[in-house]
Amino acid sequence: MDIPRIFNIMESAHRIHNPLTPEKFATLGAALRLESGARVLDLGSGSGEMLCTWARDHGVIGIGVDMSQLFSEQARLRAEELGVADQVKFIHDDAAGYVSEGKVDVAACVGATWIGGGFTGTIELLARSLRSGGIVLIGEPYWRQLPPTEDIAKGCLANAISDFLVLPRLVASFGLLGYDVVEMVLANQDSWDRYEAAKWLTMRRWLEANPEDELAQEVQSKLTSEPERHAAYTREYLGWGVFALMPRLCLKQG
């Protein structure tokens, strides 16, 4: 079980596999007012940076689940590096359908909502692990500006314009699902650069070390095309954010 090898290659040097920076994850942790001992479930946990740094900075405990064997091992090493290996556990598994044995204070899927067929299904999945009064975290793209053509949407690696919403509609959609949006931290163009541009040097170094590999031509093709694609499309049109949601209260009328 693993993600396609090309992604392991391109993001092998990443600690964060989405367009948030360490500073923005720190902002998010502080904004959620995390308490020591809070239980966190992170589906699609990547290399574990969010869970590990929150364990160090806020004393949370938790479990991360990710399909990438490489990223899961990097997460375990990061936990040891930060001295939090007794607080967090990382499982190499398919996060789709994963439900924690005990209820958690924060149930997160930050950038892998494909596990539930989109953010609606992923929220439903996370809710199965959430305690009463807990917080769901969803990381999701949105259009910074609506692409004028379908070709531009495809340049952002979407299948169609309809794949994503503009930010106000995305926020409103969480309300339609019965959730209050209680916080959000958004990527910006600089943090998109840090996510995308960091892949390019990784690919170049990998090609230097593996010129005969069966994926060498594919990696070279991406290294040739990705800088221009990102500058023309992703950077200009695509936003990304983490949204904190709580189930809406049933208040008495009158």
Side-chain angles (χ1 to χ4, degrees), residues 69 71-80 90-92:
Q69 186 170 354
F71 299 163
S72 297
E73 181 57 29
Q74 289 177 336
R76 296 184 192 105
L77 293 174
R78 184 63 167 155
E80 293 175 2
F90 293 98
I91 301 171
H92 173 226

Side-chain angles (χ1 to χ4, degrees), residues 4-14 157 193-213 215-230:
R5 184 168 169 243
I6 186 68
F7 296 110
N8 278 327
I9 291 170
M10 291 192 300
E11 299 192 20
S12 59
H14 282 54
L157 304 183
D193 292 345
R194 298 284 34 85
Y195 173 55
E196 293 290 346
K199 300 174 187 177
W200 309 336
L201 181 57
T202 298
M203 287 192 283
R204 176 53 190 259
R205 296 300 190 213
W206 183 90
L207 284 167
E208 292 171 353
N210 302 276
E212 306 299 324
D213 191 275
L215 286 185
Q217 288 298 326
E218 182 178 355
V219 173
Q220 180 61 67
S221 177
K222 285 189 174 293
L223 178 57
T224 301
S225 63
E226 282 297 287
E228 182 178 355
R229 184 200 65 75
H230 170 62

Side-chain angles (χ1 to χ4, degrees), residues 55-74:
R56 177 196 63 193
D57 298 339
H58 302 285
V60 305
I61 58 177
I63 292 175
V65 184
D66 199 271
M67 188 181 285
S68 169
Q69 186 170 354
L70 172 64
F71 299 163
S72 297
E73 181 57 29
Q74 289 177 336

Side-chain angles (χ1 to χ4, degrees), residues 27-28 30-33 137 180-185 242-245:
T27 295
L28 178 61
L32 295 178
R33 308 169 197 175
L137 289 183
D180 291 320
V181 179
V182 297
E183 258 294 355
M184 68 180 189
V185 174
V242 181
F243 303 88
L245 317 174

